[in-house]
Structures are given as C-alpha cells and as structure tokens.
C-alpha cells in the first residue's frame, strides 16, 4: 500500500485535489481510501463517503493536532491494510502554513 500525505491551510483545496487523485487511481483499477484529520469537526467524511471512497476521520480535540496526527499514522495504515487499499491518502487538518506533516520517503502534496 502506498501512502500519500496532503496538507495545507484551511479551505485551500485539499479535498478537491484528493477527489481528482482518487479518480486517477480508480481509472487504473486501484482501491483508494482517505483518512481525514481535523481539530474539532469536519464535513469531509461526507464528501468522501458520497463519492464512494472509504474514509476514516480522526478528530484531535484537546490534543495537539500535530502529535495526534503522528500518533495516528500506524492505526491509519492498519485500517488501510485491512481494507486492502492500494493507496491511502492522509488529509491533514487545515492548520497554519507552519504545519506540513510529511514523512520521509512518503509522497507529499
Ligand atoms: N475556484 C476554485 N475553488 C476551489 C478550488 N478548489 C477548491 N475550491 C473550493 O474551495 C472550497 C474549499 O475546498 P476544499 O477542497 O474543501 O478545501 P480543504 O483544504 O479540503 O478544506 P478543509 O479540509 O476544510 O481545510 C470548496 O468550496 C471548493 O469547492 C479551485 O481550484 N478553484
Ligand atoms: Mg478538506
């Protein structure tokens, strides 16, 4: 399973881009899922669900969103493996421009 991280400020078009990326992989008969992180609330799960994309949502609540994200990578990957995804896309919370939770050797947008 390949992992791609997509991060950026609020309402910068992360979900819009991910929907296009998913189309690209689906055209190649690849199974794609998305894990969406946010701080308090998100409607993105409905968008992905409506598009028939398996989605997992993580809300950091009163935990630092960056730490929550890092601590959630392994459970998200396990979820993706369980669903036999070819590609797992991680959409970050829309935080400030400082936030770019990318990992070495993992494709990042
Ligand atoms: N004009 C224009 N609008 C866009 C474009 N991409 C996204 N939008 C609109 O901008 C708004 C936010 O886009 P999203 O893709 O939801 O942004 P996001 O970064 O996922 O937002 P959060 O997950 O809430 O941080 C939506 O109303 C989109 O329809 C674009 O390329 N051009
Ligand atoms: Mg989004």
């Amino acid at each position: 399973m390949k992992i791609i991280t997509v991060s950026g400020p609020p309402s910068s078009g992360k979900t819009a881009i991910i929907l296009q990326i998913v189309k690209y992989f689906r055209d190649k008969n690849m199974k794609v899922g998305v894990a969406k992180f946010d701080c308090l609330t998100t409607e993105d799960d409905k968008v992905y669900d409506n598009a028939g994309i398996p989605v997992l949502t993580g809300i950091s609540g009163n935990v630092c969103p960056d730490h929550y994200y890092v601590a959630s990578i392994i459970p998200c990957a396990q979820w993706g493996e369980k669903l036999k995804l070819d590609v797992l896309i991680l959409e970050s919370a829309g935080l400030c421009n400082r936030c770019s939770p990318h990992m070495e050797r993992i494709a990042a947008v």
Side-chain angles (χ1 to χ4, degrees):
M1 183 180 70
K2 291 269 184 203
I3 296 179
I4 301 172
T5 62
V6 178
S7 69
S11 300
S12 57
K14 300 181 293 295
T15 297
I17 282 177
I18 289 169
L19 291 172
Q20 297 304 315
I21 295 172
V22 171
K23 259 188 216 161
Y24 171 86
F25 284 119
R26 278 182 164 173
D27 285 349
K28 296 180 181 302
N29 292 320
M30 295 169 80
K31 190 174 178 190
V32 190
V34 176
K36 165 65 183 179
F37 294 93
D38 220 311
C39 302
L40 295 175
T41 183
T42 181
E43 299 284 311
D44 283 359
D45 51 340
K46 291 181 190 134
V47 176
Y48 293 126
D49 201 40
N50 286 341
I53 302 166
V55 58
L56 186 67
T57 302
I59 299 293
S60 60
N62 57 3
V63 175
C64 161
D66 288 349
H67 283 77
Y68 182 85
Y69 182 88
V70 169
S72 302
I73 301 292
I74 301 245
C76 281
Q78 288 167 337
W79 172 77
E81 296 281 2
K82 199 170 152 195
L83 291 186
K84 300 194 186 319
L85 299 180
D86 298 300
V87 182
L88 169 62
I89 300 175
L90 305 178
E91 178 182 342
S92 79
L95 296 171
C96 61
N97 286 313
R98 164 192 68 83
C99 177
S100 56
H102 297 313
M103 292 169 275
E104 281 181 23
R105 297 190 299 280
I106 299 285
V109 178

